[in-house]
Short mmCIF file of all heavy atoms in Angstrom, two decimals:
data_model
loop_
_atom_site.label_atom_id
_atom_site.label_comp_id
_atom_site.label_asym_id
_atom_site.label_seq_id
_atom_site.Cartn_x
_atom_site.Cartn_y
_atom_site.Cartn_z
N GLN A 212 21.36 -13.96 7.31
CA GLN A 212 22.56 -13.62 6.49
C GLN A 212 23.81 -14.12 7.22
O GLN A 212 24.75 -14.67 6.64
CB GLN A 212 22.66 -12.12 6.27
CG GLN A 212 21.50 -11.51 5.53
CD GLN A 212 21.00 -12.34 4.35
OE1 GLN A 212 21.77 -12.73 3.49
NE2 GLN A 212 19.72 -12.68 4.40
N VAL A 213 23.90 -13.99 8.54
CA VAL A 213 25.01 -14.48 9.32
C VAL A 213 25.14 -15.97 9.17
O VAL A 213 26.17 -16.56 8.94
CB VAL A 213 24.91 -14.05 10.77
CG1 VAL A 213 26.02 -14.70 11.61
CG2 VAL A 213 24.99 -12.53 10.89
N GLY A 214 23.93 -16.64 9.29
CA GLY A 214 23.93 -18.08 9.13
C GLY A 214 24.38 -18.57 7.79
O GLY A 214 25.15 -19.51 7.64
N LEU A 215 23.96 -17.84 6.74
CA LEU A 215 24.37 -18.20 5.37
C LEU A 215 25.89 -18.03 5.21
O LEU A 215 26.54 -18.82 4.54
CB LEU A 215 23.62 -17.31 4.39
CG LEU A 215 22.13 -17.56 4.16
CD1 LEU A 215 21.53 -16.55 3.22
CD2 LEU A 215 21.92 -18.98 3.58
N GLY A 216 26.40 -17.04 5.86
CA GLY A 216 27.85 -16.78 5.77
C GLY A 216 28.64 -17.93 6.32
O GLY A 216 29.71 -18.26 5.81
N PHE A 217 28.17 -18.55 7.40
CA PHE A 217 28.93 -19.62 8.04
C PHE A 217 28.58 -21.01 7.49
O PHE A 217 29.45 -21.90 7.39
CB PHE A 217 28.72 -19.62 9.57
CG PHE A 217 29.44 -18.47 10.21
CD1 PHE A 217 28.78 -17.29 10.59
CD2 PHE A 217 30.80 -18.58 10.52
CE1 PHE A 217 29.43 -16.32 11.23
CE2 PHE A 217 31.48 -17.55 11.15
CZ PHE A 217 30.79 -16.40 11.48
N PHE A 218 27.28 -21.22 7.16
CA PHE A 218 26.83 -22.59 6.87
C PHE A 218 26.17 -22.73 5.52
O PHE A 218 25.92 -23.83 5.10
CB PHE A 218 25.83 -23.02 7.94
CG PHE A 218 26.31 -22.86 9.36
CD1 PHE A 218 25.75 -21.87 10.21
CD2 PHE A 218 27.37 -23.64 9.86
CE1 PHE A 218 26.18 -21.74 11.49
CE2 PHE A 218 27.79 -23.50 11.12
CZ PHE A 218 27.23 -22.51 11.96
N GLY A 219 25.93 -21.63 4.81
CA GLY A 219 25.11 -21.70 3.62
C GLY A 219 25.79 -22.29 2.42
O GLY A 219 27.00 -22.03 2.20
N SER A 220 25.06 -23.05 1.60
CA SER A 220 25.52 -23.53 0.33
C SER A 220 24.32 -23.93 -0.47
O SER A 220 23.25 -24.17 0.04
CB SER A 220 26.47 -24.72 0.47
OG SER A 220 25.81 -25.84 1.02
N THR A 221 24.48 -23.94 -1.80
CA THR A 221 23.36 -24.39 -2.69
C THR A 221 23.38 -25.91 -2.71
O THR A 221 24.25 -26.60 -2.18
CB THR A 221 23.59 -23.84 -4.05
OG1 THR A 221 24.76 -24.39 -4.63
CG2 THR A 221 23.75 -22.31 -4.06
N ALA A 222 22.35 -26.43 -3.43
CA ALA A 222 22.27 -27.90 -3.57
C ALA A 222 23.51 -28.44 -4.26
O ALA A 222 23.91 -29.55 -4.08
CB ALA A 222 21.01 -28.24 -4.35
N GLY A 223 24.12 -27.65 -5.14
CA GLY A 223 25.29 -28.07 -5.85
C GLY A 223 26.58 -27.84 -5.07
O GLY A 223 27.68 -28.14 -5.54
N GLY A 224 26.48 -27.31 -3.88
CA GLY A 224 27.66 -27.12 -3.02
C GLY A 224 28.28 -25.75 -3.19
O GLY A 224 29.33 -25.46 -2.56
N ASP A 225 27.70 -24.88 -4.05
CA ASP A 225 28.30 -23.56 -4.20
C ASP A 225 27.96 -22.63 -3.01
O ASP A 225 26.91 -22.77 -2.42
CB ASP A 225 27.76 -22.88 -5.49
CG ASP A 225 28.18 -23.67 -6.72
OD1 ASP A 225 29.28 -24.21 -6.72
OD2 ASP A 225 27.43 -23.66 -7.68
N ARG A 226 28.90 -21.77 -2.69
CA ARG A 226 28.66 -20.83 -1.61
C ARG A 226 27.57 -19.86 -1.92
O ARG A 226 27.49 -19.31 -3.02
CB ARG A 226 29.99 -20.05 -1.32
CG ARG A 226 29.83 -19.04 -0.24
CD ARG A 226 31.04 -18.15 -0.16
NE ARG A 226 32.27 -18.88 0.19
CZ ARG A 226 33.32 -18.97 -0.63
NH1 ARG A 226 33.30 -18.45 -1.83
NH2 ARG A 226 34.38 -19.67 -0.25
N ILE A 227 26.67 -19.64 -0.96
CA ILE A 227 25.64 -18.64 -1.11
C ILE A 227 26.25 -17.25 -0.90
O ILE A 227 27.07 -17.04 0.01
CB ILE A 227 24.47 -18.83 -0.10
CG1 ILE A 227 23.72 -20.11 -0.44
CG2 ILE A 227 23.55 -17.62 -0.08
CD1 ILE A 227 22.61 -20.46 0.53
N ALA A 228 25.96 -16.30 -1.80
CA ALA A 228 26.64 -15.00 -1.78
C ALA A 228 26.08 -14.12 -0.73
O ALA A 228 25.43 -13.06 -1.06
CB ALA A 228 26.53 -14.39 -3.18
N TRP A 229 26.25 -14.49 0.52
CA TRP A 229 25.68 -13.71 1.63
C TRP A 229 26.21 -12.27 1.66
O TRP A 229 25.50 -11.33 2.01
CB TRP A 229 26.00 -14.39 2.99
CG TRP A 229 27.46 -14.42 3.29
CD1 TRP A 229 28.37 -15.32 2.88
CD2 TRP A 229 28.17 -13.42 4.05
NE1 TRP A 229 29.62 -14.97 3.33
CE2 TRP A 229 29.54 -13.80 4.04
CE3 TRP A 229 27.79 -12.25 4.68
CZ2 TRP A 229 30.52 -13.09 4.73
CZ3 TRP A 229 28.73 -11.50 5.41
CH2 TRP A 229 30.12 -11.94 5.37
N ALA A 230 27.45 -12.08 1.28
CA ALA A 230 28.06 -10.72 1.30
C ALA A 230 27.34 -9.81 0.32
O ALA A 230 27.25 -8.61 0.54
CB ALA A 230 29.58 -10.80 1.00
N GLY A 231 26.89 -10.40 -0.80
CA GLY A 231 26.11 -9.57 -1.75
C GLY A 231 24.80 -9.10 -1.13
O GLY A 231 24.39 -7.92 -1.39
N HIS A 232 24.18 -9.91 -0.32
CA HIS A 232 22.96 -9.50 0.39
C HIS A 232 23.25 -8.33 1.34
O HIS A 232 22.57 -7.33 1.39
CB HIS A 232 22.38 -10.64 1.17
CG HIS A 232 22.05 -11.84 0.35
ND1 HIS A 232 21.43 -12.98 0.85
CD2 HIS A 232 22.20 -12.09 -0.96
CE1 HIS A 232 21.26 -13.85 -0.09
NE2 HIS A 232 21.71 -13.36 -1.21
N VAL A 233 24.34 -8.53 2.16
CA VAL A 233 24.71 -7.51 3.10
C VAL A 233 25.11 -6.18 2.42
O VAL A 233 24.71 -5.09 2.87
CB VAL A 233 25.79 -7.99 4.03
CG1 VAL A 233 26.33 -6.89 4.94
CG2 VAL A 233 25.32 -9.21 4.84
N GLY A 234 25.89 -6.26 1.32
CA GLY A 234 26.33 -5.10 0.62
C GLY A 234 25.14 -4.33 0.07
O GLY A 234 25.08 -3.09 0.12
N GLY A 235 24.17 -5.05 -0.54
CA GLY A 235 23.00 -4.39 -1.01
C GLY A 235 22.13 -3.71 0.11
O GLY A 235 21.65 -2.59 -0.06
N PHE A 236 22.04 -4.43 1.16
CA PHE A 236 21.29 -3.92 2.34
C PHE A 236 21.85 -2.63 2.87
O PHE A 236 21.16 -1.63 3.10
CB PHE A 236 21.23 -4.98 3.40
CG PHE A 236 20.47 -4.58 4.65
CD1 PHE A 236 19.08 -4.54 4.67
CD2 PHE A 236 21.16 -4.26 5.83
CE1 PHE A 236 18.38 -4.18 5.82
CE2 PHE A 236 20.47 -3.92 6.98
CZ PHE A 236 19.11 -3.87 6.98
N VAL A 237 23.15 -2.63 3.10
CA VAL A 237 23.83 -1.42 3.60
C VAL A 237 23.72 -0.26 2.62
O VAL A 237 23.45 0.89 2.97
CB VAL A 237 25.31 -1.69 3.91
CG1 VAL A 237 26.07 -0.43 4.30
CG2 VAL A 237 25.41 -2.69 5.08
N ALA A 238 23.92 -0.56 1.31
CA ALA A 238 23.71 0.49 0.31
C ALA A 238 22.32 1.04 0.30
O ALA A 238 22.13 2.29 0.14
CB ALA A 238 24.05 -0.08 -1.10
N GLY A 239 21.33 0.17 0.52
CA GLY A 239 19.98 0.67 0.59
C GLY A 239 19.73 1.59 1.75
O GLY A 239 19.10 2.64 1.65
N LEU A 240 20.33 1.33 2.92
CA LEU A 240 20.23 2.18 4.06
C LEU A 240 20.85 3.53 3.80
O LEU A 240 20.34 4.58 4.21
CB LEU A 240 20.90 1.54 5.29
CG LEU A 240 20.27 0.28 5.87
CD1 LEU A 240 21.17 -0.24 6.98
CD2 LEU A 240 18.86 0.52 6.40
N LEU A 241 21.96 3.53 3.06
CA LEU A 241 22.70 4.75 2.84
C LEU A 241 22.08 5.64 1.69
O LEU A 241 22.20 6.83 1.73
CB LEU A 241 24.15 4.45 2.45
CG LEU A 241 24.98 3.77 3.57
CD1 LEU A 241 26.38 3.43 3.03
CD2 LEU A 241 25.10 4.69 4.77
N LEU A 242 21.45 4.99 0.70
CA LEU A 242 21.04 5.67 -0.48
C LEU A 242 19.60 6.15 -0.48
O LEU A 242 19.24 7.04 -1.24
CB LEU A 242 21.24 4.82 -1.70
CG LEU A 242 22.69 4.53 -2.10
CD1 LEU A 242 22.74 3.58 -3.27
CD2 LEU A 242 23.40 5.85 -2.56
N ILE A 243 18.75 5.60 0.39
CA ILE A 243 17.33 5.90 0.28
C ILE A 243 17.06 7.36 0.53
O ILE A 243 16.24 7.99 -0.15
CB ILE A 243 16.50 4.98 1.21
CG1 ILE A 243 15.00 5.17 0.98
CG2 ILE A 243 16.87 5.20 2.68
CD1 ILE A 243 14.53 4.72 -0.37
N ARG A 244 17.73 7.96 1.54
CA ARG A 244 17.44 9.38 1.86
C ARG A 244 17.93 10.31 0.70
O ARG A 244 17.16 11.17 0.29
CB ARG A 244 18.06 9.72 3.16
CG ARG A 244 17.33 9.12 4.38
CD ARG A 244 18.03 9.41 5.66
NE ARG A 244 17.95 10.82 6.04
CZ ARG A 244 17.01 11.36 6.74
NH1 ARG A 244 16.01 10.64 7.21
NH2 ARG A 244 17.01 12.64 7.03
#
Side-chain angles (χ1 to χ4, degrees):
Q212 303 316 307
V213 173
L215 288 174
F217 285 101
F218 308 111
S220 64
T221 66
D225 296 329
R226 179 189 296 116
I227 292 176
W229 65 274
H232 302 182
V233 174
F236 179 75
V237 173
L240 293 176
L241 295 175
L242 289 175
I243 188 65
R244 289 175 66 91

